[in-house]
Amino acid sequence: MAARKHSRKRDAILECVCSTATHPSAEWVYAQLKPQIPDLSLGTVYRNLAAFKQEGIISSVGVVNGTERFDRCTVPHAHFVCTHCSAVIDVDNIDPPQKLAEQVDCGSVRECVLTFTGICNQCVNADAKQ
C-alpha cells in the first residue's frame, strides 16, 4: 500500500487519537478538532480513522453503544467496557489474549479479542455515594 500524503487534517486526527487514553469515537475526535479546524467534516474524520486502522496505525476496540471506538495502542491487550458510562479501559494486568489463542487447536487463529463488560469502579463508587 502506498504511503498517504500528510495533511494538516490527517495529522491532527491521528494526533488527537494518539493523545488520549479514552478510546475515542470518530464523533469525539471531530468535536475535539472542529474548533481548531472549522472546515473539518465528520466524513473526513471517519475516512482517516478507517485508513489509519487499515494501515495498522490504530486499532478498533469495537462498537460500544452503537459507536465504533478506537485505540492508539495496536499491541493486543484486553479491555473493560462499562455498561453504565460506556468507558473503555485498558486491562493490562492479565495475560494478553494471544496466550488464549495459542490454546486453540481446531483452526488457525488470526486474532483474539478479549473484552470484559460490567460497571467500572468510578460508576460503582458514584452509585455507592448516592
Side-chain angles (χ1 to χ4, degrees):
M1 179 181 295
R4 291 179 178 256
K5 293 190 313 184
H6 286 277
S7 74
R8 182 172 148 248
K9 291 176 186 175
R10 179 176 165 82
D11 293 344
I13 293 166
L14 182 58
E15 174 60 28
C16 187
V17 173
C18 291
S19 67
T20 182
T22 63
H23 302 85
S25 65
E27 292 82 2
W28 186 90
V29 171
Y30 174 75
Q32 300 302 304
L33 296 177
K34 185 68 173 171
Q36 298 97 312
I37 309 172
D39 64 335
L40 181 67
S41 72
L42 186 55
T44 296
V45 174
Y46 273 110
R47 280 189 300 279
N48 278 281
L49 290 174
F52 295 145
K53 187 171 75 168
Q54 184 177 13
E55 294 166 17
I57 298 170
I58 63 172
S59 61
S60 174
V61 175
V63 176
V64 177
N65 282 342
T67 303
E68 185 174 16
R69 303 282 288 273
F70 298 92
D71 196 338
R72 65 185 178 184
C73 179
T74 59
V75 176
H77 59 284
H79 292 98
F80 181 93
V81 176
C82 181
T83 56
H84 189 262
C85 71
S86 300
V88 179
I89 304 163
D90 289 329
V91 180
D92 297 321
N93 56 345
I94 62 170
D95 288 336
Q98 283 66 23
K99 299 282 186 191
L100 294 172
E102 291 169 5
Q103 299 174 35
V104 175
D105 61 2
C106 59
S108 176
V109 176
R110 293 190 179 156
E111 181 180 31
C112 179
V113 178
L114 183 58
T115 303
F116 299 94
T117 58
I119 300 175
C120 70
N121 291 336
Q122 193 169 5
C123 289
V124 167
N125 292 336
D127 286 346
K129 291 179 182 176
Q130 294 179 359

